[in-house]
Amino acid sequence: MRRLAVGVPAAAAAALVTVPLVGLLARAPWRALPDIVTRPAVLEALWLSLGCSLAALVVCLALGVPLAWVLARSRLPGLAVVRAVVLLPMVLPPVVGGVALLFAFGRGGVVPLPFTLPFTTAGAVTAEAFVALPFLVLAVEAGLRQLDRRYEDAAAALGAGPWARFRHVTLPLLGPSLAAGAAVCWARALGEFGATITFAGSLPGRTRTLPLAVYTTLQTDRDGAIALSLVLLALSVVVMAGLRGRWTR
């Protein structure tokens, strides 16, 4: 009876995730798939998605790793509030994030910019970095908290400076957490939709990334939308395969 009480909801949970994916695969136009995914508009959206998501990952690494270090190692007051605000985009509806970005960096926003950011490729990168940054910060901060600081103390006792300790001791130990955080961050940026379409729009060749192309194509070409969805699904599977040793054991 106990096994039944656990097994039934467990099976239902697995089905909730598996059945939609099976439905997508069952409806896939496999014969026409090569022709669909090689269309100029599809390749344009794919390369734009890869470029924007990788640029967003670079932004997140440059800003998120120092922030994670401060959250993990600093004792400054108010860090709990900072952490809560930084992690907020994980639960914030992406459309709300896009609206917030508009009022922050748009025309007449609270941050005056000498250039136009909304509805540009840079705006798409900004939107993706906004929603993806918390995933990197969370993983790197957790990794820093789990490190055995005795190795760093031993390196300091041997005369290694802060940069040498970070480069030769901390960074190698942090590598698995940093790699996992970067992979999830990149995948989240690649799949971003709500904040991107709100802040950057859906302009072909400029801001229409692959998720936006799926939404646009679904209105006129179901097979094309399924094919594009399969491309994103394949990329997601690649990310999960790379993380299997870190998160799924």
Side-chain angles (χ1 to χ4, degrees), residues 16-215:
L16 181 63
V17 177
T18 305
V19 171
L21 298 178
V22 172
L24 180 65
L25 295 173
R27 294 289 185 176
W30 295 108
R31 292 184 179 180
L33 192 61
D35 294 332
I36 294 175
V37 298
T38 54
R39 292 173 182 171
V42 174
L43 293 176
E44 182 181 64
L46 175 60
W47 290 118
L48 182 64
S49 292
L50 292 175
C52 288
S53 60
L54 290 174
L57 175 60
V58 171
V59 172
C60 291
L61 287 170
L63 303 179
V65 173
L67 176 58
W69 182 280
V70 171
L71 293 175
R73 296 290 177 87
S74 177
R75 296 184 178 180
L76 295 173
L79 285 182
V81 176
V82 174
R83 181 182 295 105
V85 172
V86 170
L87 299 183
L88 190 60
M90 295 181 69
V91 296
L92 189 71
V95 174
V96 177
V99 173
L101 288 170
L102 275 175
F103 284 108
F105 304 114
R107 182 177 299 178
V110 296
V111 180
L113 297 175
F115 53 87
T116 300
L117 190 57
F119 306 103
T120 64
T121 304
V125 173
T126 303
E128 292 179 3
F130 174 81
V131 299
L133 179 64
F135 295 89
L136 178 73
V137 172
L138 196 64
V140 175
E141 182 188 0
L144 285 168
R145 291 184 181 278
Q146 294 172 2
L147 289 184
D148 189 343
R149 299 189 66 172
R150 290 178 296 179
Y151 294 104
E152 296 171 308
D153 295 338
L158 293 173
W163 173 246
R165 293 198 303 271
F166 176 78
R167 182 180 175 184
H168 296 290
V169 179
T170 307
L171 194 57
L173 294 174
L174 187 62
S177 297
L178 182 59
V184 176
C185 175
W186 174 73
R188 181 64 186 88
L190 183 68
E192 166 52 29
F193 175 83
T196 304
I197 197 171
T198 306
F199 183 61
S202 181
L203 306 176
R206 295 178 59 188
T207 64
R208 183 173 292 175
T209 56
L210 208 52
L212 274 64
V214 171
Y215 176 77

